[in-house]
Amino acid sequence: PHSYPAGFVYIFLGLYYATGHGTDIRLAQYLFAGLYLLNLLLVFRIYCQTSKVPPYVFFFMCCASYRIHSIFVLRLFNDPVAMAILFLAINLFLEEHWSWGCLLFSLAVSVKMNILLFAPGLLFLLLQRFGLLGCIPKLCICALLQVVLGLPFLLVNPMGYLTRSFDLGRQFQFKWTVNWRFLPEEVFQNRAFHAMLLLAHLAGLGLFALHRWHSASLSWGKEPCCTAGIAPPASCVCPLDTSAQIVFVLFSSNFLGVCCSRSLHYQFYVWYFHTLPYLLWCTPTTKLAHMLKVLLLGVIELCWNTYPSTVCSSLSLHVCHGLVLLQLWYGTAPVMVSHPSPPSRRTTATSKKA
């Protein structure tokens, strides 16, 4: 039994043979460096289609994170592989290729289970875009790929494969935690604490779905090719405001899961690092707030570069996450539009006389 789904096995088996049974580490690093550049390209393409983040922020995304470079090129984790596939899926969603996007999304899940943190947002988008019956084929695509990839393991030991590869109750080691270092280890391992985090996660998703995602009112019909009742052509790209809303729903869904995680290890930083600029700048920003948001990125980076984690670093990380959540909640609140009162009969009669 292994602790990752089947897609991970196939991809790293290919890397194993490509690097001479895992002996040519330099070649593996070159391959991961290429993956890093591809990941940046996919992220930049998403940001360009939303036009929310100022260009200077991309410098921090590329050059200012020692931890991200370490995860990709020094550690060779499977987390960046899953995230690169996920960003490719989001690009397909923005181009209205929902079936192909669901296929790639499921492939990313088969590499690392953390991609499921995006699943509530994706389900919300599918329901809004296609309705209850229309989203069933898309969900079947996701499920079918998991069955096909896991077939060699499902035929031999289905329960072993499912319970180990998709183990939602997995216990994490306290010595590696980045976000809960300030808690006693007994509390960190306590099942009641895990249940409380799960309830907080579900409550956050419910609140955002009802009051932020739903109020965003994704406007599928603003362009002729994106009309809900008509199958869009291959060249269709969502209008700018809809692209921004799609990315907001997916990124905020993932961020809520990160905030409520039972433990964050150092390689988990890649789960949301490339989404942080969007989460910070997708809301209206004053000139002074630009500096504060850059400072917030710097503090988060400092927390993830503190090894081993300390009480101060883990508390600081929670404070930063809380500030991001607050500005997401209040910065995306629907604006009440006041409708002008209809003119009185006397005013209308006077205007007609004139």
Side-chain angles (χ1 to χ4, degrees):
H2 47 77
S3 57
Y4 296 119
F8 158 81
V9 179
Y10 300 132
I11 291 174
F12 276 77
L13 186 66
L15 288 171
Y16 174 73
Y17 286 114
T19 56
H21 293 204
T23 57
D24 192 348
I25 304 301
R26 180 59 59 86
L27 176 58
Q29 289 181 306
Y30 287 151
L31 293 172
F32 270 78
L35 177 68
Y36 174 71
L37 295 175
L38 175 62
N39 187 78
L40 280 180
L41 176 64
L42 294 170
V43 171
F44 286 178
R45 197 169 182 275
I46 292 171
Y47 278 73
C48 286
Q49 291 191 53
T50 57
S51 299
K52 289 286 187 180
V53 180
Y56 71 86
V57 178
F58 293 110
F59 166 79
F60 298 98
M61 190 186 296
C62 296
C63 307
S65 179
Y66 165 81
R67 180 62 63 190
I68 291 298
H69 295 161
S70 171
I71 292 170
F72 271 89
V73 183
L74 294 181
R75 312 300 174 185
L76 312 181
F77 283 111
N78 61 331
D79 303 76
V81 179
M83 291 305 299
I85 300 172
L86 182 275
F87 287 130
L88 178 56
I90 294 177
N91 274 276
L92 291 170
F93 294 146
L94 295 180
E95 294 182 1
E96 283 288 303
H97 299 299
W98 289 90
S99 295
W100 285 106
C102 289
L103 187 73
L104 268 295
F105 181 87
S106 184
L107 180 62
V109 172
S110 74
V111 178
K112 192 72 183 283
M113 197 174 59
N114 71 283
I115 304 299
L116 289 175
L117 295 178
F118 292 88
L122 177 58
L123 178 61
F124 178 88
L125 292 173
L126 290 175
L127 288 171
Q128 278 226 317
R129 176 64 177 86
F130 301 100
L132 181 59
L133 294 178
C135 78
I136 291 177
K138 313 300 179 186
L139 298 178
C140 289
I141 291 173
C142 297
L144 183 61
L145 183 68
Q146 295 299 322
V147 173
V148 171
L149 292 176
L151 199 60
F153 308 99
L154 292 171
L155 291 176
V156 176
N157 185 4
M159 288 304 299
Y161 173 72
L162 294 174
T163 55
R164 293 284 294 168
S165 298
F166 299 95
D167 184 7
L168 296 175
R170 184 175 300 159
Q171 287 280 22
F172 295 101
Q173 294 184 4
F174 183 67
K175 67 177 182 178
W176 294 116
T177 188
V178 177
N179 57 333
W180 296 114
R181 179 65 63 182
F182 59 91
L183 292 177
E185 186 172 358
E186 301 77 34
V187 176
F188 174 79
Q189 299 288 1
N190 193 286
R191 291 292 185 182
F193 174 63
H194 301 166
M196 183 185 70
L197 290 175
L198 177 60
L199 289 175
H201 184 196
L202 295 175
L205 289 172
L207 287 172
F208 266 78
L210 292 173
H211 300 289
R212 291 301 177 265
W213 299 348
H214 185 71
S215 63
S217 63
L218 294 143
S219 48
W220 303 110
K222 286 199 173 184
E223 294 290 334
C225 63
C226 293
T227 304
I230 302 174
S235 61
C236 175
V237 178
C238 285
L240 185 63
D241 56 344
T242 302
S243 298
Q245 290 160 0
I246 289 174
V247 176
F248 169 71
V249 170
L250 291 172
F251 283 6
S252 59
S253 172
N254 176 67
F255 185 69
L256 286 167
V258 170
C259 292
C260 300
S261 291
R262 290 185 287 118
S263 182
L264 293 175
H265 296 176
Y266 285 96
Q267 68 269 28
F268 297 177
Y269 190 24
V270 78
W271 291 6
Y272 74 119
F273 170 78
H274 294 100
T275 71
L276 281 173
Y278 186 87
L279 295 173
L280 285 169
W281 271 273
C282 68
T283 56
T285 306
T286 61
K287 290 185 178 180
L288 180 62
H290 280 282
M291 299 174 59
L292 296 176
K293 290 181 178 183
V294 172
L295 178 63
L296 203 57
L297 283 178
V299 175
I300 291 174
E301 178 69 23
L302 184 63
C303 294
W304 282 96
N305 280 312
T306 303
Y307 177 80
S309 61
T310 63
V311 171
C312 182
S313 68
S314 60
L315 276 173
S316 300
L317 186 63
H318 278 289
V319 170
C320 291
H321 287 174
L323 291 174
V324 175
L325 273 179
L326 284 175
Q327 72 95 26
L328 280 177
W329 180 260
Y330 290 106
T332 58
V335 179
M336 299 299 292
V337 180
S338 58
H339 298 283
S341 57
S344 63
R345 292 183 178 180
R346 182 176 179 180
T347 307
T348 306
T350 304
S351 62
K352 285 183 178 180
K353 186 177 180 180

